[in-house]
Amino acid sequence: MKYVLRRDGLRQCRPLGWAAAPAGHTGSAGWEVHVNRPAALSGAPWSGLIAEFREVIVTSRPHADVELIGRACDVAARCHQGQLRHSGDPYITHPVAVATILAGLKEAGEVNDEMLCAAILHDTVRDTPYTLAALKREFGAAIAAMVAEQTAIHRLRRRPGHKAAQVMATIRSADTRVVATMLADRLHNMQTIQFVPHPWQLRQAREVLDTYLPAAHELSMPAVGSQLQTLACATLLSNQPLRPPRRRVIVALDIENSTSRPDPVKAELRTMLYELFDAALRAAGVTARRRDRFTDRGDGLLALVDPADQALLIHLVIPVFSQFLASYNASLPLPGGADRQLRVRVVLHAGNVHDDNNGQFGEALDAAFRLLDAPRVKAELKTAPGPLLLVVSSDVYTAVTPDDPGPGPAISSRLVTAQVAGHQYQGWIHIPTQAA
């Protein structure tokens, strides 16, 4: 018997979908598709997917209960009639695709007829007026229980303020057949994720990493987990905005021996580093509009400055900053002040800086940090007479003094090199003179 949706449940109607095998035929090989007239459903938008589902069932489950599964398809098609997915496809294509995935899984344990029916009907109670009571009346308590449990987990995931740990705890206690159906459901959603808005894509991809991958691991379904992870990672990468690189002077600063200091001293040194370097920039006229906001480096900071100000950085900002450091160190009380002396390594480099939602990156930044952290630079600062040692990359030096063939009197001839992405970068070690 076939059904059509009414607000008070289901009533009998003319056949839709799959008929049971004719007399004399056994198994699913006897199925045929019809709506009122023979082969009418073959022209429906979802007929190809239903035919694929039929072939999977014929191959993997030759003794399936064709009447039960066909009736579930009929009811789901009626319930979801008029509903569309974001792709524009009729919504019925989704539950049929989920059941197709589930039927083809070799690692989902015993996939039985009840699981396939629950997969086909899994969105009816949540997204249509079809009631759980009607589903239980027509398909039995076992199928209704699986649909109810999946609906409850879905609502928990959508509850404001829910935590991934709460969802995982619920999944661990759920019927494993329900969890396997949920994995197939999310797998199909990830396969068609390009049609949903970008914020939803990110949310679904992150949910895969938070809950679905651990669930696949616990159910020993590595093939499904691998597919989900591949699709989630591809989604996260494709949603990363592409922004043009920016040409910047990279100024990176690190505090000498910061990691060996206790936290209260470390906090004091960080505060003074930020304040004194910001004051040196302001003194040279490098305003906030001409530079990015400082980025924390744990033991130092990163400043990205307009390339037009690179000469100011060498000739004024760094000498003023060195003077500020010397004055601060001299102001520390004795005894005990020596443990809070502020000595800093600085690098100046220029290049393209890339930005994404996670911050800045790029080869130019890598080169600057490698020059700053070179063992020779750290050793030179230990013996330097002043509180600051500067490394000026050859790119910055050439831009500031284009007619000078080599380091001038203000720049030491001591060379330091760094290898990044197959390229060699050079920097000149410089002990700045303090501004008058």
Side-chain angles (χ1 to χ4, degrees):
M1 191 69 64
K2 309 307 177 193
Y3 299 86
V4 67
L5 180 67
R6 289 196 322 184
R7 288 211 173 267
D8 57 350
L10 296 171
R11 65 176 174 82
Q12 297 179 8
C13 68
R14 287 173 294 182
L16 171 68
W18 295 343
H25 290 256
T26 59
S28 56
W31 289 351
E32 61 174 322
V33 179
H34 65 279
V35 171
N36 300 337
R37 296 188 303 276
L41 191 59
S42 62
W46 58 86
S47 60
L49 195 60
I50 287 183
E52 179 185 343
F53 182 36
R54 177 185 179 278
E55 291 302 318
V56 171
I57 296 299
V58 168
T59 302
S60 62
R61 297 188 54 76
H63 302 293
D65 186 339
V66 296
E67 193 279 332
L68 179 67
I69 297 173
R71 186 154 51 89
C73 286
D74 290 342
V75 170
R78 290 288 191 185
C79 288
H80 293 298
Q81 188 170 5
Q83 295 179 345
L84 299 177
R85 305 195 79 219
H86 284 276
S87 62
D89 294 329
Y91 194 86
I92 186 59
T93 60
H94 171 63
V96 171
V98 172
T100 303
I101 292 171
L102 196 59
L105 290 180
K106 302 300 183 184
E107 53 184 28
E110 180 61 31
V111 177
N112 57 27
D113 297 331
E114 291 178 341
M115 284 180 68
L116 294 177
C117 289
I120 295 166
L121 297 164
H122 77 273
D123 279 337
T124 55
V125 173
R126 187 174 73 236
D127 294 337
T128 79
Y130 190 45
T131 65
L132 188 62
L135 191 153
K136 182 177 181 180
R137 191 165 56 245
E138 301 302 331
F139 293 96
I143 294 174
M146 284 188 278
V147 172
E149 191 166 17
Q150 186 168 350
T151 300
I153 296 174
H154 175 87
R155 287 172 177 165
L156 173 62
R157 294 198 336 261
R158 293 292 176 265
R159 185 181 301 167
H162 84 276
K163 296 181 180 179
Q166 294 174 311
V167 178
M168 275 306 303
T170 303
I171 288 175
R172 286 191 183 98
S173 63
D175 187 330
T176 56
R177 298 173 300 172
V178 171
V179 180
T181 303
M182 290 176 58
L183 290 170
D185 178 31
R186 179 50 59 99
L187 180 56
H188 183 246
N189 282 333
M190 294 302 298
Q191 290 170 344
T192 57
I193 199 167
Q194 69 271 23
F195 297 109
V196 304
H198 290 292
W200 291 14
Q201 292 186 26
L202 289 171
R203 185 177 68 188
Q204 290 201 30
R206 289 166 180 157
E207 281 183 348
V208 166
L209 301 180
D210 289 343
T211 58
Y212 288 88
L213 282 182
H217 177 73
E218 293 196 10
L219 262 64
S220 298
M221 298 173 66
V224 174
S226 177
Q227 292 181 65
L228 284 169
Q229 185 167 27
T230 298
L231 291 167
C233 291
T235 298
L236 294 172
L237 290 173
S238 66
N239 278 273
Q240 189 68 252
L242 296 177
R243 300 166 185 163
R246 299 177 297 140
R247 183 77 178 178
R248 286 292 183 268
V249 177
I250 299 162
V251 189
L253 303 87
D254 264 5
I255 301 170
E256 182 185 43
N257 295 330
S258 175
T259 55
S260 65
R261 317 282 184 102
D263 285 346
V265 175
K266 198 177 295 186
E268 177 183 316
L269 296 181
R270 282 167 50 83
T271 297
M272 295 315 303
L273 177 72
Y274 274 71
E275 292 293 343
L276 296 179
F277 187 65
D278 189 54
L281 288 169
R282 294 197 307 269
V286 182
T287 63
R289 289 183 299 177
R290 301 186 64 82
R291 54 185 170 88
D292 293 9
R293 186 175 181 178
F294 293 159
T295 300
D296 178 57
R297 276 179 44 82
D299 296 327
L301 66 86
L302 169 66
L304 301 176
V305 181
D306 191 308
D309 292 326
Q310 55 190 345
L312 276 177
L313 289 168
I314 289 180
H315 299 308
L316 186 55
V317 173
I318 295 302
V320 168
F321 180 51
S322 180
Q323 184 180 46
F324 285 167
L325 291 174
S327 298
Y328 169 75
N329 289 339
S331 70
L332 294 172
L334 294 175
D339 293 335
R340 306 200 323 266
Q341 292 278 319
L342 185 55
R343 294 170 60 81
V344 180
R345 305 188 319 277
V346 184
V347 67
L348 293 183
H349 181 48
N352 288 332
V353 175
H354 299 264
D355 297 89
D356 61 18
N357 291 340
N358 301 312
Q360 297 87 23
F361 68 98
E363 186 175 325
L365 284 172
D366 295 338
F369 299 152
R370 289 282 183 88
L371 291 171
L372 182 67
D373 293 334
R376 182 173 186 180
V377 174
K378 294 181 179 180
E380 292 276 358
L381 179 58
K382 291 184 183 298
T383 60
L388 184 145
L389 180 141
L390 173 67
V391 180
V392 181
S393 77
S394 56
D395 291 7
V396 171
Y397 181 80
T398 301
V400 172
T401 57
D403 299 326
D404 194 333
I411 304 292
S412 165
S413 60
R414 286 168 291 179
L415 182 67
V416 61
T417 62
Q419 289 279 345
V420 178
H423 302 135
Q424 180 170 285
Y425 292 88
Q426 294 182 330
W428 305 101
I429 296 176
H430 170 46
I431 308 295
T433 58
Q434 297 176 11

